[in-house]
Amino acid sequence: MKQIGKISASMMCADLLHLKKDIELFEKNKIEYLHIDVMDGNFVPNFGLGVDYIRGLRGLTSTPLDLHLMVNKPEEKYEWLGIQPTDQVCIHYESTVHIQRALEKLKKYQCRIMLAINPGTPIYSVEEVLEYIDGVTILTVNPGFAGQPIVKSCIKKVEKMYKFLLGEGYENLSIEVDGNISFENAKKLRGLGADIFVAGSSSIFGKTIVMEDSIKRFREAIKP
């Protein structure tokens, strides 16, 4: 495996009434990223976490943010987000006409850069921009809503992406997976090459188990 598995906690699934308590728990358990779904109601059929939420969150924690921009023309919105060098920022291949230009513009923030592809997007879409990114985010559900079942073809897609990156000499790029990453799916996808896992309502935010126990169980699932 390329690196230690990392958890990106999906803040769209968090309970706003207990947000500070949850963040303290994440810090205690060394959660690597807080995953922020930014949605514009256009690129995806939903509105997500906005600029004021992001600013407020930065005031509560120093944990790096994993900013998932599900918006059209993301390159026009970077400056709104207060991007930090410790952050990870993900934009979609389909979100802009000139994806290379959008990735190049993101470089000035010195953050980690991820390129997301939807379930129906071929893995080879990333081929011409590999030198501009630090990893690929594979959406294992169609973006926009939490709680969807995993698109089964995306399980094989993770393995295909891992082999593709290996063949192209980019084996050190991260593969993040996002969408119904349950304990079982996380373990399976870890074995196929994924190393960053967006954890939401099907795992650490589940209602049938204490969150701290869920985090420990998830850590166990993504061991090398």
Side-chain angles (χ1 to χ4, degrees):
M1 284 297 172
K2 296 170 291 183
Q3 53 183 294
I4 295 171
K6 296 179 180 179
I7 299 175
S8 186
S10 178
M11 301 309 291
M12 189 166 71
C13 301
D15 183 351
L16 290 176
L17 295 178
H18 303 97
L19 190 59
K20 190 172 187 298
K21 180 181 177 183
D22 286 352
I23 287 173
E24 289 171 351
L25 184 63
F26 293 153
E27 290 176 340
K28 175 185 174 184
N29 287 275
K30 296 180 171 57
I31 293 291
E32 285 82 5
Y33 293 105
L34 301 182
H35 188 86
I36 311 298
D37 287 307
V38 181
M39 297 182 275
D40 64 0
N42 194 340
F43 182 70
V44 292
N46 196 4
F47 290 100
L49 305 175
V51 173
D52 288 339
Y53 179 92
I54 292 168
R55 287 175 181 157
L57 202 58
R58 290 195 191 279
L60 290 175
T61 181
S62 60
T63 301
L65 302 187
D66 179 12
L67 296 163
H68 181 190
L69 307 186
M70 290 177 275
V71 302
N72 283 322
K73 297 182 180 179
E75 65 273 23
E76 297 179 0
K77 286 105 178 176
Y78 297 154
E79 63 186 54
W80 301 355
L81 303 171
I83 297 170
Q84 303 297 309
T86 53
D87 291 341
Q88 175 168 284
V89 181
C90 175
I91 66 174
H92 277 256
Y93 175 82
E94 303 90 347
S95 67
T96 184
V97 175
H98 301 292
I99 188 64
Q100 179 273 338
R101 185 181 296 165
L103 293 168
E104 180 69 33
K105 187 174 181 181
L106 194 50
K107 277 191 170 185
K108 77 173 186 178
Y109 295 94
Q110 300 181 331
C111 58
R112 280 178 53 81
I113 300 173
M114 303 291 285
L115 180 64
I117 56 174
N118 288 330
T121 307
I123 64 169
Y124 303 109
S125 300
V126 310
E127 185 173 10
E128 301 301 332
V129 292
L130 290 172
E131 63 186 280
Y132 297 95
I133 62 177
D134 297 293
V136 178
T137 298
I138 296 180
L139 272 291
T140 51
V141 302
N142 285 293
F145 297 93
Q148 299 180 66
I150 196 167
V151 177
K152 291 183 179 180
S153 62
C154 291
I155 295 174
K156 183 69 174 177
K157 190 174 189 177
V158 171
E159 183 179 28
K160 287 168 64 179
M161 179 63 76
Y162 179 72
K163 290 179 178 178
F164 170 70
L165 294 176
L166 193 64
E168 293 293 316
Y170 285 88
E171 63 273 14
N172 290 325
L173 293 190
S174 297
I175 297 178
E176 181 177 40
V177 285
D178 181 3
N180 195 256
I181 308 302
S182 63
F183 303 108
E184 295 77 13
N185 288 333
K187 184 173 183 178
K188 187 180 298 183
L189 294 168
R190 177 59 167 159
L192 296 176
D195 48 65
I196 304 176
F197 303 82
V198 178
S201 58
S202 60
S203 57
I204 68 171
F205 289 98
K207 299 187 184 303
T208 60
I209 184 170
V210 175
M211 187 181 286
E212 189 158 20
D213 293 339
S214 296
I215 293 170
K216 291 175 181 177
R217 183 179 170 189
F218 203 87
R219 286 277 184 213
E220 188 65 29
I222 64 173
K223 279 185 177 180

